[in-house]
Amino acid sequence: MKDEKKRNGQKGKKPYLRPEVRQVQLKPEEAVLGGCKINGGGSGPGNLTTCNPLMIQCSVLGTS
Amino acid sequence: MLPSDRFLIRIADITCAVSSADPPLRMTVDESLHNFLVHAGQPDVAIETKIGNLTAFNDIGDLIFDSGAVWRLYQENGTCSFSFQSPSLGPAPYKIARIRRDFTQGEILIHGPFYETKRSIYPLEYPLDELLFINYLALGHGAEVHACGLVDSRGTGHLFLGQSTAGKTTMARLWEDDPGVTILSDDRIILRKIDNQIWMYGTPWHGEAGFAASTRAPLNKVYFLRKGMRNQVSPLKAVESASRFFSCCFPLFYNRDAVDFTLCFFDDVAKNVPCYELSFLPDKSTVEFLLKAED
Protein backbone atom coordinates (compact mmCIF):
# COMPACT_ATOMS: atom_id res chain seq x y z
CA MET A 1 0.00 0.00 0.00
CA LYS A 2 2.79 2.38 0.91
CA ASP A 3 4.68 1.49 -2.26
CA GLU A 4 1.61 2.16 -4.34
CA LYS A 5 1.17 5.58 -2.80
CA LYS A 6 4.81 6.35 -3.44
CA ARG A 7 4.54 5.30 -7.08
CA ASN A 8 1.45 7.39 -7.68
CA GLY A 9 2.94 10.43 -5.97
CA GLN A 10 1.02 13.41 -4.75
CA LYS A 11 -1.35 15.20 -7.12
CA GLY A 12 0.22 18.02 -9.16
CA LYS A 13 3.77 16.81 -8.62
CA LYS A 14 5.91 16.73 -11.75
CA PRO A 15 7.61 13.46 -12.61
CA TYR A 16 11.25 13.26 -11.66
CA LEU A 17 13.66 13.94 -14.53
CA ARG A 18 17.17 12.71 -14.11
CA PRO A 19 19.84 15.37 -14.56
CA GLU A 20 21.43 15.24 -17.97
CA VAL A 21 24.80 16.41 -19.13
CA ARG A 22 24.78 18.21 -22.46
CA GLN A 23 27.79 19.31 -24.44
CA VAL A 24 27.39 22.72 -26.04
CA GLN A 25 29.63 24.01 -28.77
CA LEU A 26 30.53 27.62 -28.11
CA LYS A 27 32.51 29.59 -30.63
CA PRO A 28 34.51 32.24 -28.73
CA GLU A 29 34.51 34.59 -31.69
CA GLU A 30 30.72 34.56 -31.66
CA ALA A 31 29.96 34.17 -27.97
CA VAL A 32 32.03 37.20 -27.02
CA LEU A 33 31.02 40.58 -28.35
CA GLY A 34 33.55 42.93 -29.67
CA GLY A 35 34.82 41.74 -32.98
CA CYS A 36 33.82 43.55 -36.12
CA LYS A 37 31.02 41.97 -38.04
CA ILE A 38 31.73 40.63 -41.49
CA ASN A 39 31.77 43.83 -43.51
CA GLY A 40 33.74 46.01 -41.20
CA GLY A 41 31.90 46.57 -37.99
CA GLY A 42 29.58 48.95 -36.30
CA SER A 43 25.99 48.27 -35.54
CA GLY A 44 25.56 47.02 -39.03
CA PRO A 45 27.88 45.51 -41.55
CA GLY A 46 27.76 48.51 -43.83
CA ASN A 47 29.17 50.91 -41.28
CA LEU A 48 32.92 51.00 -41.46
CA THR A 49 33.58 53.64 -38.90
CA THR A 50 31.57 52.86 -35.84
CA CYS A 51 33.81 50.44 -34.09
CA ASN A 52 36.92 52.21 -35.35
CA PRO A 53 37.26 55.64 -33.85
CA LEU A 54 39.79 56.70 -36.44
CA MET A 55 38.80 54.23 -39.17
CA ILE A 56 41.57 51.89 -38.12
CA GLN A 57 41.05 48.25 -38.91
CA CYS A 58 40.37 46.18 -35.85
CA SER A 59 40.45 42.42 -35.66
CA VAL A 60 37.71 40.70 -37.61
CA LEU A 61 35.94 38.34 -35.31
CA GLY A 62 32.49 36.96 -35.63
CA THR A 63 30.24 36.97 -38.62
CA SER A 64 26.52 37.24 -39.14
CA MET B 1 20.33 62.72 -36.74
CA LEU B 2 21.48 66.21 -35.89
CA PRO B 3 24.11 66.43 -33.18
CA SER B 4 22.55 66.99 -29.79
CA ASP B 5 23.40 66.83 -26.14
CA ARG B 6 20.83 64.17 -25.22
CA PHE B 7 19.07 61.23 -26.85
CA LEU B 8 16.96 58.25 -25.84
CA ILE B 9 17.08 54.83 -27.45
CA ARG B 10 14.65 52.03 -26.70
CA ILE B 11 15.56 48.44 -27.55
CA ALA B 12 13.43 45.54 -26.33
CA ASP B 13 11.38 47.90 -24.15
CA ILE B 14 14.55 48.97 -22.36
CA THR B 15 15.13 52.72 -22.53
CA CYS B 16 18.63 54.10 -22.39
CA ALA B 17 19.14 57.85 -21.95
CA VAL B 18 22.47 59.26 -23.04
CA SER B 19 23.40 62.83 -22.18
CA SER B 20 26.45 64.97 -22.52
CA ALA B 21 27.80 66.70 -19.47
CA ASP B 22 30.34 68.51 -21.55
CA PRO B 23 29.18 71.38 -23.76
CA PRO B 24 31.69 70.74 -26.58
CA LEU B 25 30.71 67.06 -26.85
CA ARG B 26 28.14 66.81 -29.63
CA MET B 27 26.49 63.46 -29.93
CA THR B 28 24.87 61.66 -32.77
CA VAL B 29 23.39 58.19 -33.24
CA ASP B 30 24.34 55.53 -35.76
CA GLU B 31 21.95 55.23 -38.68
CA SER B 32 20.99 51.68 -37.74
CA LEU B 33 19.66 52.98 -34.43
CA HIS B 34 17.42 55.67 -35.89
CA ASN B 35 14.40 53.36 -35.70
CA PHE B 36 15.11 52.89 -32.02
CA LEU B 37 15.21 56.55 -31.07
CA VAL B 38 12.40 57.76 -28.82
CA HIS B 39 11.52 61.22 -27.68
CA ALA B 40 10.23 60.48 -24.21
CA GLY B 41 10.15 57.79 -21.57
CA GLN B 42 11.45 56.93 -18.18
CA PRO B 43 14.97 55.61 -18.72
CA ASP B 44 15.95 52.22 -17.38
CA VAL B 45 19.59 53.08 -18.00
CA ALA B 46 21.04 56.60 -17.73
CA ILE B 47 24.48 57.35 -19.17
CA GLU B 48 26.41 60.58 -19.02
CA THR B 49 29.27 61.25 -21.41
CA LYS B 50 32.35 63.38 -20.85
CA ILE B 51 35.60 64.18 -22.53
CA GLY B 52 38.72 63.58 -20.52
CA ASN B 53 42.35 62.62 -20.70
CA LEU B 54 42.68 58.89 -20.24
CA THR B 55 46.45 58.71 -20.64
CA ALA B 56 47.06 58.15 -16.96
CA PHE B 57 43.77 56.41 -16.28
CA ASN B 58 45.06 53.19 -14.79
CA ASP B 59 43.23 52.65 -11.57
CA ILE B 60 39.91 51.19 -12.66
CA GLY B 61 39.97 47.99 -10.65
CA ASP B 62 40.75 44.35 -11.16
CA LEU B 63 40.76 42.87 -14.64
CA ILE B 64 37.73 40.59 -14.81
CA PHE B 65 37.55 39.75 -18.50
CA ASP B 66 39.58 40.35 -21.66
CA SER B 67 37.50 39.99 -24.79
CA GLY B 68 40.54 39.54 -26.99
CA ALA B 69 39.15 42.35 -29.12
CA VAL B 70 38.94 46.05 -28.28
CA TRP B 71 37.47 45.84 -24.77
CA ARG B 72 38.37 44.67 -21.33
CA LEU B 73 36.22 44.60 -18.21
CA TYR B 74 37.47 45.77 -14.84
CA GLN B 75 35.67 45.84 -11.54
CA GLU B 76 36.10 47.78 -8.35
CA ASN B 77 33.78 48.67 -5.49
CA GLY B 78 30.58 47.81 -7.29
CA THR B 79 31.54 49.58 -10.51
CA CYS B 80 32.15 47.81 -13.82
CA SER B 81 34.53 49.58 -16.16
CA PHE B 82 34.71 48.68 -19.83
CA SER B 83 37.99 49.92 -21.22
CA PHE B 84 38.31 50.24 -25.00
CA GLN B 85 41.73 50.18 -26.53
CA SER B 86 43.28 49.88 -29.96
CA PRO B 87 47.01 49.13 -30.30
CA SER B 88 47.26 51.46 -33.27
CA LEU B 89 46.11 54.35 -31.06
CA GLY B 90 48.68 53.73 -28.37
CA PRO B 91 48.48 52.33 -24.86
CA ALA B 92 45.84 54.72 -23.52
CA PRO B 93 42.21 53.66 -23.81
CA TYR B 94 40.17 55.72 -26.28
CA LYS B 95 37.05 55.26 -24.20
CA ILE B 96 36.08 53.99 -20.76
CA ALA B 97 32.54 53.23 -19.70
CA ARG B 98 32.09 53.09 -15.93
CA ILE B 99 28.79 51.47 -15.09
CA ARG B 100 27.08 50.74 -11.81
CA ARG B 101 26.83 47.06 -11.06
CA ASP B 102 23.08 46.98 -11.68
CA PHE B 103 23.66 48.62 -15.07
CA THR B 104 21.11 51.37 -14.47
CA GLN B 105 23.55 54.24 -14.38
CA GLY B 106 26.98 55.10 -15.63
CA GLU B 107 29.33 57.45 -17.40
CA ILE B 108 31.39 57.28 -20.56
CA LEU B 109 34.75 58.98 -20.63
CA ILE B 110 36.08 59.73 -24.07
CA HIS B 111 39.78 60.36 -24.58
CA GLY B 112 39.93 63.96 -25.69
CA PRO B 113 43.03 63.79 -27.90
CA PHE B 114 41.31 61.32 -30.21
CA TYR B 115 38.16 63.31 -30.74
CA GLU B 116 37.82 66.74 -32.24
CA THR B 117 35.33 68.82 -30.33
CA LYS B 118 33.69 69.97 -33.53
CA ARG B 119 33.01 66.46 -34.65
CA SER B 120 29.86 64.72 -33.46
CA ILE B 121 30.27 61.25 -32.06
CA TYR B 122 28.14 58.31 -31.05
CA PRO B 123 29.31 57.54 -27.52
CA LEU B 124 27.82 54.04 -27.46
CA GLU B 125 29.51 53.02 -30.70
CA TYR B 126 29.62 49.25 -31.15
CA PRO B 127 30.28 47.13 -29.24
CA LEU B 128 29.49 49.27 -26.19
CA ASP B 129 25.78 49.67 -26.96
CA GLU B 130 25.26 45.95 -27.31
CA LEU B 131 27.48 45.23 -24.29
CA LEU B 132 25.35 47.46 -22.10
CA PHE B 133 22.18 45.78 -23.21
CA ILE B 134 23.34 42.18 -22.85
CA ASN B 135 24.69 42.92 -19.39
CA TYR B 136 21.45 44.62 -18.35
CA LEU B 137 19.41 41.73 -19.78
CA ALA B 138 21.45 39.14 -17.92
CA LEU B 139 20.52 40.70 -14.61
CA GLY B 140 17.05 39.24 -14.88
CA HIS B 141 15.49 40.92 -17.87
CA GLY B 142 16.01 38.49 -20.74
CA ALA B 143 18.65 37.39 -23.23
CA GLU B 144 19.98 38.18 -26.68
CA VAL B 145 20.48 35.38 -29.19
CA HIS B 146 22.01 34.88 -32.61
CA ALA B 147 18.79 34.52 -34.51
CA CYS B 148 16.52 35.65 -37.26
CA GLY B 149 13.08 36.52 -35.93
CA LEU B 150 9.97 37.16 -37.97
CA VAL B 151 6.20 37.21 -37.85
CA ASP B 152 4.36 35.56 -40.71
CA SER B 153 1.14 36.78 -42.29
CA ARG B 154 -0.93 34.79 -39.79
CA GLY B 155 0.74 36.51 -36.85
CA THR B 156 2.84 33.51 -35.83
CA GLY B 157 6.23 34.45 -34.42
CA HIS B 158 9.10 32.30 -35.68
CA LEU B 159 12.62 32.33 -34.29
CA PHE B 160 15.44 30.79 -36.31
CA LEU B 161 18.61 30.30 -34.31
CA GLY B 162 22.08 29.42 -35.41
CA GLN B 163 25.71 30.37 -35.20
CA SER B 164 27.60 31.91 -38.07
CA THR B 165 26.72 30.57 -41.56
CA ALA B 166 23.78 28.57 -40.22
CA GLY B 167 21.48 30.42 -42.59
CA LYS B 168 19.83 33.18 -40.55
CA THR B 169 20.18 35.84 -43.21
CA THR B 170 19.24 33.36 -45.92
CA MET B 171 16.08 32.56 -43.98
CA ALA B 172 15.21 36.25 -43.62
CA ARG B 173 15.62 36.79 -47.35
CA LEU B 174 13.36 33.84 -48.15
CA TRP B 175 10.50 35.43 -46.20
CA GLU B 176 11.01 39.11 -46.98
CA ASP B 177 8.87 39.21 -50.12
CA ASP B 178 5.88 37.49 -48.55
CA PRO B 179 3.06 39.97 -47.94
CA GLY B 180 2.20 40.53 -44.32
CA VAL B 181 5.55 39.30 -43.04
CA THR B 182 7.56 41.41 -40.61
CA ILE B 183 11.21 40.56 -40.16
CA LEU B 184 12.51 41.74 -36.80
CA SER B 185 16.16 40.95 -37.42
CA ASP B 186 18.36 38.72 -39.52
CA ASP B 187 21.02 38.35 -36.83
CA ARG B 188 20.22 39.44 -33.28
CA ILE B 189 16.98 38.97 -31.39
CA ILE B 190 16.26 39.80 -27.77
CA LEU B 191 13.95 37.51 -25.84
CA ARG B 192 12.07 38.66 -22.78
CA LYS B 193 9.35 37.21 -20.62
CA ILE B 194 6.71 39.82 -19.88
CA ASP B 195 3.30 39.10 -18.35
CA ASN B 196 3.93 35.37 -18.68
CA GLN B 197 4.50 35.64 -22.41
CA ILE B 198 7.82 35.14 -24.21
CA TRP B 199 8.41 38.04 -26.59
CA MET B 200 11.01 38.45 -29.29
CA TYR B 201 12.31 41.91 -30.14
CA GLY B 202 14.15 43.30 -33.12
CA THR B 203 17.50 44.95 -32.48
CA PRO B 204 19.68 47.42 -34.38
CA TRP B 205 22.54 44.91 -34.63
CA HIS B 206 21.54 43.38 -37.90
CA GLY B 207 23.23 41.00 -40.29
CA GLU B 208 24.12 41.38 -43.96
CA ALA B 209 20.50 41.76 -45.03
CA GLY B 210 20.04 44.77 -42.78
CA PHE B 211 16.76 43.85 -41.05
CA ALA B 212 16.35 45.80 -37.82
CA ALA B 213 12.75 46.41 -36.76
CA SER B 214 12.05 48.22 -33.53
CA THR B 215 9.00 46.08 -32.79
CA ARG B 216 8.22 42.91 -30.95
CA ALA B 217 6.16 39.79 -31.46
CA PRO B 218 5.03 36.85 -29.33
CA LEU B 219 7.33 33.88 -29.73
CA ASN B 220 5.35 30.88 -30.98
CA LYS B 221 7.88 28.58 -32.66
CA VAL B 222 11.61 28.04 -32.30
CA TYR B 223 13.79 26.45 -34.96
CA PHE B 224 17.46 25.59 -34.61
CA LEU B 225 18.88 25.79 -38.11
CA ARG B 226 20.74 23.08 -39.91
CA LYS B 227 21.54 23.09 -43.61
CA GLY B 228 20.26 20.03 -45.33
CA MET B 229 19.21 18.29 -48.51
CA ARG B 230 15.52 18.64 -47.75
CA ASN B 231 13.06 20.53 -45.57
CA GLN B 232 12.54 18.67 -42.36
CA VAL B 233 11.62 19.45 -38.77
CA SER B 234 12.36 17.33 -35.74
CA PRO B 235 10.92 18.20 -32.35
CA LEU B 236 13.46 18.76 -29.60
CA LYS B 237 13.26 18.05 -25.90
CA ALA B 238 13.43 21.03 -23.59
CA VAL B 239 16.87 20.15 -22.26
CA GLU B 240 18.30 19.89 -25.79
CA SER B 241 16.66 23.16 -26.76
CA ALA B 242 17.92 24.99 -23.69
CA SER B 243 21.44 23.80 -24.50
CA ARG B 244 21.17 25.02 -28.05
CA PHE B 245 19.80 28.37 -26.94
CA PHE B 246 22.86 28.76 -24.76
CA SER B 247 25.17 28.01 -27.68
CA CYS B 248 23.55 30.86 -29.60
CA CYS B 249 23.74 33.53 -26.92
CA PHE B 250 26.41 35.79 -25.44
CA PRO B 251 27.15 34.32 -22.02
CA LEU B 252 28.63 36.65 -19.44
CA PHE B 253 31.42 34.28 -18.51
CA TYR B 254 32.63 36.64 -15.82
CA ASN B 255 29.35 36.75 -13.91
CA ARG B 256 28.16 33.53 -12.27
CA ASP B 257 24.72 34.91 -11.39
CA ALA B 258 24.22 36.12 -14.93
CA VAL B 259 25.06 32.71 -16.38
CA ASP B 260 22.70 31.11 -13.89
CA PHE B 261 19.87 33.42 -14.85
CA THR B 262 20.52 32.91 -18.57
CA LEU B 263 20.39 29.13 -18.25
CA CYS B 264 17.17 29.27 -16.24
CA PHE B 265 15.67 31.71 -18.70
CA PHE B 266 16.39 29.45 -21.67
CA ASP B 267 15.05 26.49 -19.72
CA ASP B 268 11.84 28.44 -19.21
CA VAL B 269 11.58 29.36 -22.90
CA ALA B 270 12.30 25.79 -23.99
CA LYS B 271 9.59 24.44 -21.73
CA ASN B 272 6.95 26.90 -22.90
CA VAL B 273 7.58 27.28 -26.62
CA PRO B 274 7.71 24.38 -29.11
CA CYS B 275 11.29 23.91 -30.31
CA TYR B 276 12.49 22.05 -33.39
CA GLU B 277 15.58 21.34 -35.37
CA LEU B 278 15.00 22.61 -38.90
CA SER B 279 16.90 21.27 -41.84
CA PHE B 280 16.09 23.44 -44.83
CA LEU B 281 16.67 24.14 -48.48
CA PRO B 282 17.75 27.69 -49.33
CA ASP B 283 14.70 28.35 -51.49
CA LYS B 284 11.04 29.32 -51.21
CA SER B 285 9.98 25.74 -50.58
CA THR B 286 11.12 26.27 -47.00
CA VAL B 287 8.53 29.00 -46.44
CA GLU B 288 5.74 26.85 -47.89
CA PHE B 289 6.92 23.92 -45.81
CA LEU B 290 6.85 25.90 -42.56
CA LEU B 291 3.47 27.48 -43.27
CA LYS B 292 2.07 24.09 -44.09
CA ALA B 293 3.51 22.67 -40.89
CA GLU B 294 1.45 25.24 -38.97
CA ASP B 295 -1.81 23.84 -40.39
Side-chain angles (χ1 to χ4, degrees):
Chain A
M1 182 75 97
K2 273 186 186 177
D3 287 341
E4 197 176 318
K5 277 189 180 174
K6 268 189 185 174
R7 276 197 296 270
N8 288 342
Q10 295 172 10
K11 271 189 182 177
K13 219 174 182 182
K14 291 180 185 174
Y16 173 71
L17 295 172
R18 287 182 68 180
E20 293 185 46
V21 175
R22 293 277 166 169
Q23 192 171 27
V24 176
Q25 188 192 21
L26 280 178
K27 292 183 183 177
E29 64 272 20
E30 295 196 27
V32 176
L33 278 178
C36 287
K37 298 184 86 182
I38 191 166
N39 278 336
S43 298
N47 193 329
L48 293 171
T49 61
T50 327
C51 75
N52 299 290
L54 292 177
M55 295 185 69
I56 293 163
Q57 189 71 36
C58 63
S59 56
V60 179
L61 297 172
T63 58
S64 60
Chain B
M1 177 188 148
L2 291 173
S4 73
D5 59 2
R6 188 173 193 264
F7 63 85
L8 290 166
I9 52 174
R10 184 177 295 145
I11 303 169
D13 283 336
I14 299 164
T15 303
C16 179
V18 183
S19 58
S20 168
D22 220 313
L25 182 58
R26 283 146 39 98
M27 302 186 296
T28 187
V29 173
D30 272 1
E31 196 178 326
S32 57
L33 280 123
H34 285 183
N35 287 344
F36 297 84
L37 281 169
V38 292
H39 298 293
Q42 184 63 29
D44 302 288
V45 183
I47 304 289
E48 201 171 75
T49 60
K50 299 173 187 172
I51 290 181
N53 192 326
L54 304 181
T55 308
F57 215 96
N58 295 319
D59 192 17
I60 51 175
D62 302 321
L63 178 63
I64 300 298
F65 187 78
D66 187 338
S67 70
V70 296
W71 65 275
R72 294 191 181 103
L73 174 63
Y74 298 81
Q75 200 166 317
E76 184 180 48
N77 296 332
T79 299
C80 298
S81 294
F82 294 88
S83 176
F84 295 81
Q85 206 169 344
S86 178
S88 51
L89 299 177
Y94 62 83
K95 180 167 68 180
I96 292 177
R98 295 163 60 87
I99 314 292
R100 215 162 70 176
R101 211 166 178 177
D102 63 0
F103 277 79
T104 60
Q105 206 172 332
E107 64 176 9
I108 297 172
L109 304 168
I110 295 169
H111 192 39
F114 294 142
Y115 289 90
E116 298 170 15
T117 53
K118 289 183 184 176
R119 189 182 133 201
S120 57
I121 60 162
Y122 173 49
L124 299 185
E125 65 182 7
Y126 183 84
L128 179 55
D129 49 10
E130 199 172 357
L131 275 173
L132 288 178
F133 274 84
I134 64 167
N135 275 271
Y136 181 85
L137 287 165
L139 295 175
H141 305 287
E144 187 183 48
V145 288
H146 272 281
C148 160
L150 58 89
V151 189
D152 67 24
S153 53
R154 302 174 197 178
T156 304
H158 303 263
L159 187 68
F160 302 95
L161 292 105
Q163 293 175 343
S164 170
T165 71
K168 299 184 294 294
T169 296
T170 301
M171 185 61 73
R173 287 190 167 132
L174 290 176
W175 288 82
E176 69 174 317
D177 294 328
D178 274 41
V181 167
T182 303
I183 299 174
L184 303 177
S185 175
D186 62 319
D187 196 57
R188 305 275 218 263
I189 290 285
I190 287 174
L191 302 176
R192 300 191 69 191
K193 186 173 185 178
I194 296 173
D195 296 334
N196 235 24
Q197 166 74 53
I198 306 292
W199 294 88
M200 51 178 187
Y201 292 81
T203 72
W205 310 295
H206 56 81
E208 287 177 42
F211 294 103
S214 58
T215 56
R216 68 174 187 176
L219 179 59
N220 302 118
K221 297 251 175 103
V222 173
Y223 300 96
F224 294 95
L225 296 175
R226 189 168 75 90
K227 286 176 183 162
M229 303 300 289
R230 60 182 181 141
N231 296 315
Q232 185 176 19
V233 284
S234 312
L236 294 173
K237 285 185 188 175
V239 63
E240 178 75 34
S241 304
S243 307
R244 294 201 189 197
F245 267 117
F246 193 75
S247 72
C248 292
C249 78
F250 305 89
L252 299 190
F253 300 106
Y254 43 84
N255 187 327
R256 182 188 302 176
D257 291 339
V259 172
D260 186 46
F261 166 77
T262 302
L263 287 167
C264 291
F265 178 76
F266 287 141
D267 181 59
D268 190 11
V269 175
K271 283 175 177 165
N272 288 289
V273 182
C275 296
Y276 307 89
E277 180 178 80
L278 170 65
S279 158
F280 74 104
L281 295 168
D283 59 42
K284 277 293 205 182
S285 65
T286 296
V287 176
E288 292 158 17
F289 171 78
L290 290 171
L291 288 173
K292 207 172 176 183
E294 275 183 54
D295 294 332

